[in-house]
């Protein structure tokens, strides 16, 4: 059987609440590559009570960033696994320029293609509504929004009836800190990838299904132009 064609590793960039997580899941499923969310990995560690989880939990509850060494080590181990051989989508990583530089080095060392970053653009007001309205199914991880995408039955997942919960860091005071951490530390990443001509801008105000279609079309276009330039 022929090996699946590999795609450039994708990095989804944008403020918390821009829909990166939802889109990373849908696009990854359509492309047949894993979606890697560092936030989900930390939440999983915290739920299991591992050492890493205990360290990350306090930092996350303040809306601050976990240290670069911890997060880079965790990502390096994850992308070395066989399911990442044909590509992967990173969601929530890198968050700082040093993290992006270390990712670049990791990919170069293992002879993999460089990253293509996708930048999600959204207004501040919509971001706050998306974050305060976000609810996640405890069983399957499906994401809802009480304003934009409510479940059929209040507080229950449409797929499996699982309880819908609000993340501890989606409270308004923590949101303000998360958005300002984004401005300070993540915004420079956009310049980092733009300078490398490795940035695609998307208007993230569109409804989720429409946005997935646009993203897949953009990525196909990019792949075609990269192929014809080679
Ligand atoms: P997220 O689900 O991506 O919003 O991440 C939730 C929290 O996990 C963040 O507020 C950080 O505390 C931590 N976190 C996730 N990814 C990173 C990262 N790349 N660097 C540092 N901290 C991170």
């Amino acid at each position: 059987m022929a090996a699946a064609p590999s795609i450039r590793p994708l990095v989804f960039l944008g403020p918390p609440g821009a829909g990166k997580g939802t889109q990373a899941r849908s696009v990854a499923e359509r492309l047949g590559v894993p979606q890697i969310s560092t936030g989900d990995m930390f939440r999983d560690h915290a739920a299991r009570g591992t050492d890493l989880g205990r360290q990350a939990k306090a930092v996350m509850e303040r809306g601050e960033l976990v240290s670069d060494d911890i997060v880079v080590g965790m990502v390096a181990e994850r992308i070395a696994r066989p399911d990442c051989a044909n590509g992967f989508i990173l969601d929530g990583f890198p968050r700082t320029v040093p993290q992006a530089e270390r990712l670049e080095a990791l990919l170069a060392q293992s002879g993999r293609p460089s990253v293509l970053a996708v930048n999600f653009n959204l207004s501040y007001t919509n971001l706050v509504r998306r974050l305060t309205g976000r609810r996640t199914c405890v069983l399957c991880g499906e994401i809802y929004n009480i304003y934009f995408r409510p479940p059929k039955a209040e507080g229950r997942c449409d797929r499996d009836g699982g309880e819908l919960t609000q993340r501890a860091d989606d409270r308004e005071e923590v949101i303000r800190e998360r958005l300002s951490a984004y401005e300070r530390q993540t915004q420079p990443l956009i310049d980092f990838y733009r300078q490398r001509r490795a940035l695609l801008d998307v208007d993230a105000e569109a409804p989720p299904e429409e946005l997935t279609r646009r993203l897949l079309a953009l990525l196909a276009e990019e792949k075609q132009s990269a192929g014809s330039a080679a």
Side-chain angles (χ1 to χ4, degrees):
M1 197 174 72
S6 71
I7 60 160
R8 280 173 80 177
L10 299 172
V11 162
F12 280 13
L13 288 180
K20 293 189 307 289
T22 308
Q23 293 303 323
R25 284 161 69 106
S26 318
V27 173
E29 201 176 312
R30 294 285 293 276
L31 296 178
V33 296
Q35 168 243 0
I36 301 170
S37 154
T38 43
D40 283 351
M41 290 169 87
F42 285 131
R43 280 184 286 279
D44 177 56
H45 274 280
R48 287 188 287 121
T50 66
D51 276 352
L52 181 62
R54 270 195 295 278
Q55 289 174 51
K57 193 163 184 258
V59 178
M60 288 169 78
E61 279 171 359
R62 293 194 299 271
E64 293 167 8
L65 293 183
V66 177
S67 80
D68 287 347
D69 280 343
I70 292 182
V71 70
V72 171
M74 190 173 75
V75 169
E77 187 275 325
R78 179 66 188 86
I79 65 175
R81 292 196 209 152
D83 65 336
C84 292
N86 294 323
F88 49 87
I89 300 182
L90 286 166
D91 156 25
F93 178 92
R95 280 260 220 306
T96 63
V97 170
Q99 288 180 12
E101 286 166 344
R102 288 172 70 176
L103 174 63
E104 206 172 39
L106 277 175
L107 294 170
Q109 273 160 22
S110 53
R112 297 188 192 209
S114 61
V115 156
L116 177 64
V118 180
N119 181 29
F120 287 63
N121 293 292
L122 200 81
S123 75
Y124 188 85
T125 319
N126 267 339
L127 281 177
V128 173
R129 292 196 86 198
R130 284 196 183 192
L131 288 165
T132 51
R134 177 157 68 179
R135 301 290 183 274
T136 310
C137 173
V138 291
L139 297 179
C140 69
E142 183 73 4
I143 301 165
Y144 295 85
N145 187 292
I146 57 170
Y147 305 114
F148 305 113
R149 191 189 170 227
K152 292 194 180 86
E154 199 185 318
R156 293 281 156 199
C157 179
D158 293 347
R159 285 183 170 182
D160 51 27
E163 188 194 345
L164 301 183
T165 57
Q166 183 174 34
R167 279 170 42 173
D169 59 355
D170 275 347
R171 285 172 293 115
E172 201 140 0
E173 62 280 15
V174 185
I175 286 171
R176 248 177 267 125
E177 176 51 36
R178 288 170 65 205
L179 289 175
S180 87
Y182 173 77
E183 285 289 326
R184 278 193 314 273
Q185 292 170 300
T186 314
Q187 196 71 34
L189 273 180
I190 292 165
D191 303 328
F192 176 93
Y193 287 116
R194 208 185 294 285
Q195 278 160 13
R196 283 163 173 69
R197 298 183 185 283
L199 189 78
L200 291 178
D201 271 298
V202 290
D203 172 2
E205 304 274 353
E209 292 77 13
E210 168 63 23
L211 187 52
T212 306
R213 267 195 300 278
R214 278 196 216 161
L215 277 169
L216 289 167
L218 259 179
L219 293 171
E221 235 173 72
E222 206 283 330
K223 198 170 175 182
Q224 215 171 24
S225 64
S228 57

